[in-house]
Amino acid sequence: MKRLISVTINGKQRTDEVEPRLLLIHYLRDVVGLTGSHIGCETSLCGACTVELDGKAVKSCTMFAVQVDGCRLLTIEGLVSNGKYHPLQEAFWNEHGLQCGFCTPGMIVACKQLLERTPVPTEEEIRHGIEGNLCRCTGYQHIVNAVKAASAKMGI
Amino acid sequence: MATILTPQATGKLVGKRVRRREDPRLITGTATYVDDIQKPGMHHACIVRSPYAAARIKGINAQAALALPGVAAVFTGKDVAALGPVPCGASLPGLRVPHHHILAQDRVYFTGHPVAVVVATDRYIARDAADLVEVDYEELPAVAAPEKALAPGAPAVHPEWPDNTAFTYHQEGGDVNKAFAEAEVIVKQRIISQRLIPTAMETRGVVAEWQPGDKALTVYSSSQIPHLLRSLLAGMLGLPENRLRVVVPEVGGGFGSKLNVYAEEALMGFVAMKIGKPVKWIESRRENFLCTIHGRGHVDYYEIAAKKDGTILGLKLKLIQDLGAYHQLLTPAIPTLSVLMMPGLYRFKNILADIVGVFTNCVPTDAYRGAGRPEATHGIERMVDMLAAELKMDPAEIRLKNFPQPDEFPFATATGLSYDSGDYEAPLRRALELVDYPRLRQEQAEARQQGRLMGIGLSTYGEVSAFGPSPATPAGGWESATVKIDPAGKVTVLTGASPHGQGEETTFAQIAADELGVDLEDVIVLHGDTAVVQYGIGTFGSRATAVGGPAVYYAIQKLKEKIQKFGALLLESAEVTFTNGNCVCNRNGKSVTLAQVAAASYRAMKLPPGEEPGLQVTYFWEPPNFTFPFGAHIAVTEVDRETGRVSILRYVAVDDCGNIINPLLVDGQVHGGVAQGMGQALYEQAVYDNNGQLLSGELTDYAIPKAGMMPWLETGHTITPSPVNPLGVKGVGEAGTIGASPALVNSVVDALSPLGVRHIDMPMLPEKIWQLLQQGGQA
Ligand code: FES
Ligand code: FES
């Protein structure tokens, strides 16, 4: 029995009929067509599916689409505004904070939350802040650099 | 802080920290990985897998599954009995090769063995239906550890081979008996390189689409080897190769695990042809851990012989390789790479190695970042440290004593390799300088007086990379490039290497832009689609830059000759030089641009004698040798007496990968490599119980490093160009992984040496160290 949900995704409102068991990540990827958020585990361990739900980073693989009825969602696709990259996107690019790029969308959303909570984080705070997001390629060091660079840029 | 060039920069690009050109699509979430592909009418597949490591299949009942609305088909072993087998590309004398069907026939051999495939209109329905497939198993005894599998009376993995031995392999160099007879000291140790799970963040996935009108199949797969996959898949499916197109879209990491040909790739091709609809299969993380290849899996028995002054005379190795239940593409070849690298960076010429390849009821092992070389390096570097301890020598001093000197290159090793170029002292001395070694040792002495367990560990690693000359590799060892200049003068590079995160869309563009004197923005690099790119080999074994790069370089050299000829025609001059993107007449200085030359070459009003129209060259480059990167890593650690936890106080990696095209990307490779080596040293292990159940079957139980588990990595480089290729590059993809594990284990052993500890096997989990501490250092 499908249920009607209404959500605002990256600033655009939409309504969809979804199965109650449809995972939020599958809703975003397969129904809405926003494939930037990825699936690395489906068990809330890797963070590849991280999106922002009413301003808070969540793992969209362990929520149902019906749970976000009436909510605001922000995904990696919504981070570019007026054709300009978010400072974190720019910093990940400049600092080589990604290799295969699979973890990157979730990682950037998690880092955005981190910088909102701690605008000028120490290395330790950055490492702690992204513990929920796994990256197998970079060894995290360039990600740390990217977060620092974005923090400096956003502070100006 | 790094200087970052923006891509419109001109002038020399090779050697600069150019930010990557693949990144804009990745940071905006607009890249296309396999699971992002949608096709009209696409169905979804879910695979039914064996819950047992060994069992007989007595029957399969799929009626309930087929009755579920939305289910299109269920296929079992008998439907695909004539297809396949899953290929093994390695050949060794006397190798026993079990027939590896793409779905189990009457028996399963490891937990996760594919038994049936369910196809439905939606992935949720496919998964529901998979649960409804009833398989009647009769469980059989299993064996999941290689030494147990070799013991008399062990269950036979394949009943036809009761000794569980797939092959034995012997290699000797020099006179090892004489070396051991003359030795003043001999040290022996059993060393384990545990089974690891590669854990690319993107699991495997396949989309297959059949065009009945053309009798053509397209397979999208997350792979490192699109062309080899096409050739082998065509054979498995009985399709002419020219009717099969393999497309490798964005790939979310491979690390060797996607340098393979898997049952599911053929299975999806079969399903697409059968149901006449596109079909998608995406591996779950649990399936990824159960069914994608694992790495390592060695039990090694080492003996090293030396003189009292520390001169190493010889090395013996008995290597027991856990192969798993089948051979995947390169499974049996991996331990032979360990033997090749046995001598490490040292001068001694006497070796003896015996490999036993053992079947177990586990998923096959195969190439995982380093593939045989981390195991070998871990072995020799542990043995050298143990020898130093035995002789009360400093670990740096014993290494310096045994390196060949720069003027001894090319250096012929006891295992038949010819090391291309090297200055092995340079990175070690640089690393020692970076940590201020004498002061560090003094700090350690003070720490010890305070009762702290602080350790300093070195590793000086070497690797055989850039696979490699064709006669020495299971497939061709060359790489290809097509460079074409369109009529408007813009450049397209098609590379047969299939990068998946390494950044060759940037580095190859740097090479091409410099060689052709054009802006980076004017070059694009394409790869991964067999319908677009000429035949190629792929990306693995640190080969993309070192074999694929020279192919690009040579293609451009040929293209330049043609450009000059067309330029000469336009300038009506016999003497023309192509420089900085222009053809210039040597006599009067008149010039034409590359775009003008390109337009003229396609317009073809006049042709240079003997030339075809157009500007396009394809070059297949065969390397004359492997390359041999090297380096030195130093790890400073401290062990917590209360908990057994290891903290990394400092980590310094000095690598020599020859000339560097892009230092930013090289650092990235080193960081990622070290992280995986650290994972092996400290956290990661694939654990099977006695019945062959994978206990570390999820990310909860298999600990890949998180950001907080990684120390700050200090990197440095020395540069010894390789004479093997015109770019002087050696490759760097695996260096970090190879150097890291011995540096860390040597460091922790050093920390615990006051307690009499002389060896620890990986992973050095707190519980293991804590137990050692409780037992006063006695294992
Ligand atoms: S897919 Fe959601 S945390 Fe891994
Ligand atoms: S960039 Fe590949 S997993 Fe993070």
Side-chain angles (χ1 to χ4, degrees), chain A residues 132-144:
Chain A
N133 292 69
L134 297 176
C135 174
R136 190 59 155 165
C137 295
T138 62
Y140 305 100
Q141 191 149 316
H142 283 161
I143 295 178
V144 171

Side-chain angles (χ1 to χ4, degrees), chain A residues 97-104 134-138 143, chain B residues 201 252-253 255:
Chain A
L98 60 148
Q99 289 177 29
C100 78
F102 196 77
C103 71
T104 310
L134 297 176
C135 174
R136 190 59 155 165
C137 295
T138 62
I143 295 178
Chain B
M201 290 321 298
F255 316 114

Side-chain angles (χ1 to χ4, degrees), chain B residues 72 99 115 158 177 183 188 205 263 312 340 363 538-539 546 584 700 723:
Chain B
H99 192 90
V115 171
H158 297 279
N177 290 331
K188 304 181 185 184
I312 303 168
L340 276 184
V363 72
T539 290
V584 185
T700 27

Side-chain angles (χ1 to χ4, degrees), chain A residues 68-87:
Chain A
V68 302
D69 187 19
C71 298
R72 256 179 322 111
L73 286 163
L74 180 74
T75 69
I76 188 72
E77 289 93 342
L79 247 56
V80 180
S81 73
N82 300 326
K84 276 192 73 182
Y85 293 151
H86 186 277

